[in-house]
Amino acid sequence: MPANTTASSGSSGLAGEKTGKKKGRRARLIVIVLVLALVAGIGYGTFWSVTTVRASYPQTNGSIKIAGLAGNVDVKRDSYGIPQLYADSDTDLFRAQGFVQAQDRFWEMDVRRHMTAGRLSEMFGSGQVDTDAFLRTLGWRKVAQEEYDTVLSADTKKNLQAYADGVNAYLKGRDGKDISVEYAALGLTNDYKPTKWTPVDSVAWLKAMAWDLRGNMQDEIDRSLMTSRLSQKQIKDLYPAYPYDKHRPIVDQGGISQVTGAFDPAATNSAGPGASTVQGATEGVTTQLASLSDTLDEIPALLGPNGNGIGSNSWVVSGKYTTTDKPLLANDPHLAPQLPSLWYQMGLHCRQLSATCQYDTAGYTFSGMPGVIIGHNQDIAWGFTNLGADVTDLFLEKVSGDGYQYDGKVKPFVTREETIKVAGGESRHITVRETNNGPLVSDRSGELEKVGQKAPVTNSAPDRADGYAVALKWTALEPGHSMDAVFELDRAKDFTTFRAAAEHFEVPSQNLIYADTKGNIGYQAPGKIPVRKQGDDGTMPSPGWTSAYGWKKDPIPFDQLPYEYNPKRGYIVTANQAVIDEKKYPYLLTKDWGYGTRSQRINDLIESKIKGGGKISTDDMQKMQMDNTSEIAALLVPELMKINVSDKSVRQAQKLLEGWDYTQESDSAAAAYFNAVWRNILKLAFGDKLPKEMRVKGECLTVLPADSTGPVDEQDKPVRECGQRAADTAQPDGGDRWYQVVAGLMDDKNNDWWKSPRSRKDEATTTRDELFGRAMADARWELTAKLGKDTSTWSWGRLHQLTLKNQTLGTEGPDLLQRVLNRGPWNLGGGEAAVDATGWNAAGGYEVVWVPSMRMVVNVGDWDKSRWINLTGASGHAFSAHYTDQTGKWVNGDLLDWSFGTNAVANSTKDTLTLKPS
């Protein structure tokens, strides 16, 4: 045992888990396979014993002495290893949280802090230098340090320090191999040793969260890339307006009061500055921006595929319409699948609430950060979805010597030197340059030094010479209070204190839903959201050399952000749709909302239950989370069935769609075929016409000239181009923006988008139905190759599979090691833009690339009847019984009982560890 711990009744370990003999035998076999994989896969002749692998398993029974504790802390774990902590002071509670999370997840925590600090090269070598350089340029760690030093409250800093002390109490006296098996594997090629945790390590994680939820940065790049091949009208076709007439925004009433100047849910008119819709002077920025897009693809996507497809569902129903007579609240954030899951379930309980012990809360936490992020306390419940506010802008900067031009003068760069230490190699040195608009991200790319060479600009623009640099302006690069907000949410008692906490949740901007034990429900849109100057709407890169563009000094005032409290309709739905009709609101939140497919489906499900005279139960909420109806199928299938198909094999596939109810169950052959048809429609109508920088890397096409979307004629000279983007971020991705694109073109059967050139096996298409017919044939042959000739054996789940990958060695390690550390595949139902949002990218294939990362249904007031599930399990140890013990239930749509009260927790407890003062 490490020197700082004493055990009074033994470690639980693998042998101590209450599992059957068969399960235990299988676990021991896996351990042996791991040993062989590490030896054979890495090529070192080292012998590893089973003891080495099991050394990092946490002690979950007995007692451990920890320096700094004022009193005993009980750690009660249920049969899934989920801990509930009981303490007598805030400091003891958060010190214990740090210790317990380090027990289960320190490898994940360590990798995460190295990523946020731009220090991955210290662990994994020279292959991470470019990623580190970009992250150092953004300066996440630097901003986190500024937040800790100058912005965060004294109580927050005290909690962060207590958490860090708990983590370090766990680390004391332990070698890497005693912490996680991954360290043992890393030790075969690297002498890396874990260092102490600091409070700033926790704060920096919020920057990574904000990065993946940053809004429309990729859309801004993509629209710029499109100018190389598409006209402004064509680009507008691909970014249609939000369909307010079909898809209800979150807040459907209210505005800025002309009396108080604040947002009023009852106001009928809005007063305040209008949002500009004038585009910037740089609409023609061309494929040089692809280099920035490639750089973004290299940043570890901890929450989703580099920001694309990030979504979530949440809704709350008033007790007026529930079987419990109290509100019911559901939430399921859609994030990248990873192993272990991003979330860590936990309860934080003061044995008696007081001025020095203020918390009685449970829910989903981030390992590496104290507090509860999503969940409930004894008075209120809350959930998050991504608001999607546009909080990033790219600026073209004219570099002149050691400075940049601004309003006719040359201003000096703000610079700093960064040293990147590299495991097994020499350190690298970079210089970070910043303008008044932010760091120059183009300094991290040779091609981006020439950005703007071909961009059309006004005569007043500086001479382009060798081009313009690119700066990133982002709200998260300014110190903020979001860490304060986490603790304030955990302590909130009512809607007033909830909104006060939300005001501090500045980055990332989230939709917050609310319910309390008194029967109230509510919604708040928080966030530090910039107000842009006239002439700038954030959809294209802007000129950085003039003060006419950019952001005003102050963001949208919090009291003018939309909110609702007990709306008459009796429920609130947030699923990344528009927050409020832009005609009713004076500020620009974004031009790039999700298009409301999921949110409207949830609205419809709730309304149908209410209008039918029924009341909504916890089971109903759970069932809604698994709704997998395809809106685009409901639009397209009736038209696909009208097409006369002559090929018998294609006709056989077409018949699968007869009588289909548009649900996407895992065993559905119709769902498999339809989604293949949809993928091929997108490819033929749009994908083959997009610039190579947006298409899937390695897929080469003979394409039309950049100024044409029609079939090749005698004057055209096709060119060969190969895609350059990662499969999970390529376009068209098939999300609900593309639903809206296709819906807008359906009645125009001769639109140019339906034209596709001749191929070696197909004639050119000139109409919608010709292209649909060709897509149906292409889908038939694609699925024949993937699933076999017999359509009766087809199923959506065989195409649409989830594989959970260990986020480091499971993706970059030797093949044998990856096979041992990773889990799956599982065949899934659901799909893109369905409520059960098992997302896939139509440009890249059918593999699941984002998922409901957890699901919860909170029974407000009767907390012990709430339910929850995690994507994987509590443990980050690859061979723990709790590594993926929730995944099978997650796949089936099941939820676990969620104990909260003292008696309920006691009844569900399987292991109890007491942390004692040293």
Side-chain angles (χ1 to χ4, degrees), residues 78-99:
D78 65 12
S79 59
Y80 288 88
I82 299 170
Q84 304 279 343
L85 276 55
Y86 291 85
D88 295 318
S89 70
D90 295 342
T91 302
D92 279 0
L93 192 60
F94 293 117
R95 183 177 277 110
Q97 185 181 15
F99 185 91

Side-chain angles (χ1 to χ4, degrees), residues 209-210 212-215 250 307 310-314 331 333-335 384-389 508-512 574-577 579 593-594 598:
M209 181 180 174
D212 274 3
L213 301 174
R214 64 192 177 273
I250 298 170
I310 293 281
S312 300
N313 301 321
S314 73
N331 195 189
H334 306 157
L335 305 172
F384 284 10
T385 63
N386 194 26
L387 191 149
S509 184
Q510 299 287 288
N511 296 307
L512 298 182
T574 87
N576 318 112
Q577 78 270 42
V579 168
W593 300 111
R598 283 179 288 108

Side-chain angles (χ1 to χ4, degrees), residues 366-398:
F366 293 133
S367 54
M369 205 172 87
V372 168
I373 307 301
I374 293 174
H376 71 83
N377 59 31
Q378 73 278 15
D379 297 307
I380 75 166
W382 66 93
F384 284 10
T385 63
N386 194 26
L387 191 149
D390 186 357
V391 295
T392 60
D393 276 340
L394 298 174
F395 285 85
L396 297 186
E397 304 283 3
K398 180 56 190 173

Side-chain angles (χ1 to χ4, degrees), residues 418-462:
E418 296 277 355
T419 299
I420 301 172
K421 297 180 181 179
V422 182
E426 295 184 1
S427 296
R428 311 290 177 87
H429 304 277
I430 64 170
T431 300
V432 176
R433 301 187 294 173
E434 294 187 7
T435 73
N436 59 349
N437 289 314
L440 290 186
V441 289
S442 54
D443 281 355
R444 305 283 74 87
S445 165
E447 285 187 28
L448 272 171
E449 293 176 4
K450 301 178 182 179
V451 163
Q453 280 189 340
K454 299 179 181 179
V457 292
T458 64
N459 292 333
S460 61

Side-chain angles (χ1 to χ4, degrees), residues 759-774:
S759 69
R760 284 180 294 180
K761 62 184 180 65
D762 295 299
E763 293 296 320
T765 68
T766 58
T767 69
R768 183 197 75 179
D769 288 351
E770 287 177 356
L771 185 141
F772 282 7
R774 181 167 164 184

Side-chain angles (χ1 to χ4, degrees), residues 216-230 232 235 238-239 283-287 289-290 292-294 296-297 306 308 394 539-541 592 690-695 725 729-733 737-738 841:
N216 76 334
M217 185 172 172
Q218 192 65 56
D219 288 319
E220 188 174 340
I221 292 171
D222 285 354
R223 273 187 289 259
S224 299
L225 293 173
M226 287 179 183
T227 61
S228 69
R229 293 188 59 84
L230 303 177
Q232 286 302 313
I235 294 173
L238 302 186
Y239 287 90
E283 292 177 346
V285 177
T286 56
T287 55
L289 272 176
L292 176 57
S293 184
D294 290 344
L296 300 182
D297 276 345
N306 292 315
N308 291 338
L394 298 174
T539 60
M540 290 280 187
D592 293 302
L690 295 177
K692 61 182 180 294
E693 295 85 0
M694 296 176 65
R695 300 202 312 269
R725 187 169 289 182
T729 58
Q731 293 292 336
D733 61 19
R737 172 164 69 90
W738 294 99
N841 186 303

Side-chain angles (χ1 to χ4, degrees), residues 245-470:
D245 57 331
K246 295 194 307 179
H247 295 164
R248 177 187 296 163
I250 298 170
V251 176
D252 56 9
Q253 292 181 332
I256 307 298
S257 169
Q258 297 189 36
V259 177
T260 66
F263 188 88
D264 182 352
T268 56
N269 297 303
S270 273
S276 167
T277 58
V278 180
Q279 290 186 338
T282 57
E283 292 177 346
V285 177
T286 56
T287 55
Q288 287 86 350
L289 272 176
S291 184
L292 176 57
S293 184
D294 290 344
T295 301
L296 300 182
D297 276 345
E298 294 301 318
I299 306 305
L302 291 180
L303 302 184
N306 292 315
N308 291 338
I310 293 281
S312 300
N313 301 321
S314 73
W315 65 95
V316 60
V317 182
S318 168
K320 179 181 178 181
Y321 297 118
T322 68
T323 59
T324 65
D325 295 325
K326 289 289 182 70
L328 294 174
L329 185 150
N331 195 189
D332 56 287
H334 306 157
L335 305 172
Q338 55 188 273
L339 187 57
S341 166
L342 184 77
W343 299 107
Y344 184 95
Q345 296 149 290
M346 179 175 261
L348 300 173
H349 307 279
C350 288
R351 294 189 180 97
Q352 184 172 344
L353 291 172
S354 67
T356 57
C357 202
Q358 307 172 74
Y359 297 88
D360 186 16
T361 184
Y364 293 87
T365 72
F366 293 133
S367 54
M369 205 172 87
V372 168
I373 307 301
I374 293 174
H376 71 83
N377 59 31
Q378 73 278 15
D379 297 307
I380 75 166
W382 66 93
F384 284 10
T385 63
N386 194 26
L387 191 149
D390 186 357
V391 295
T392 60
D393 276 340
L394 298 174
F395 285 85
L396 297 186
E397 304 283 3
K398 180 56 190 173
V399 175
S400 299
D402 293 330
Y404 59 97
Q405 293 189 23
Y406 188 72
D407 282 350
K409 298 180 180 179
V410 176
K411 299 187 68 172
F413 291 113
V414 175
T415 63
R416 68 178 188 273
E417 303 298 318
E418 296 277 355
T419 299
I420 301 172
K421 297 180 181 179
V422 182
E426 295 184 1
S427 296
R428 311 290 177 87
H429 304 277
I430 64 170
T431 300
V432 176
R433 301 187 294 173
E434 294 187 7
T435 73
N436 59 349
N437 289 314
L440 290 186
V441 289
S442 54
D443 281 355
R444 305 283 74 87
S445 165
E447 285 187 28
L448 272 171
E449 293 176 4
K450 301 178 182 179
V451 163
Q453 280 189 340
K454 299 179 181 179
V457 292
T458 64
N459 292 333
S460 61
D463 175 50
R464 70 177 71 250
D466 60 349
Y468 306 118
V470 178

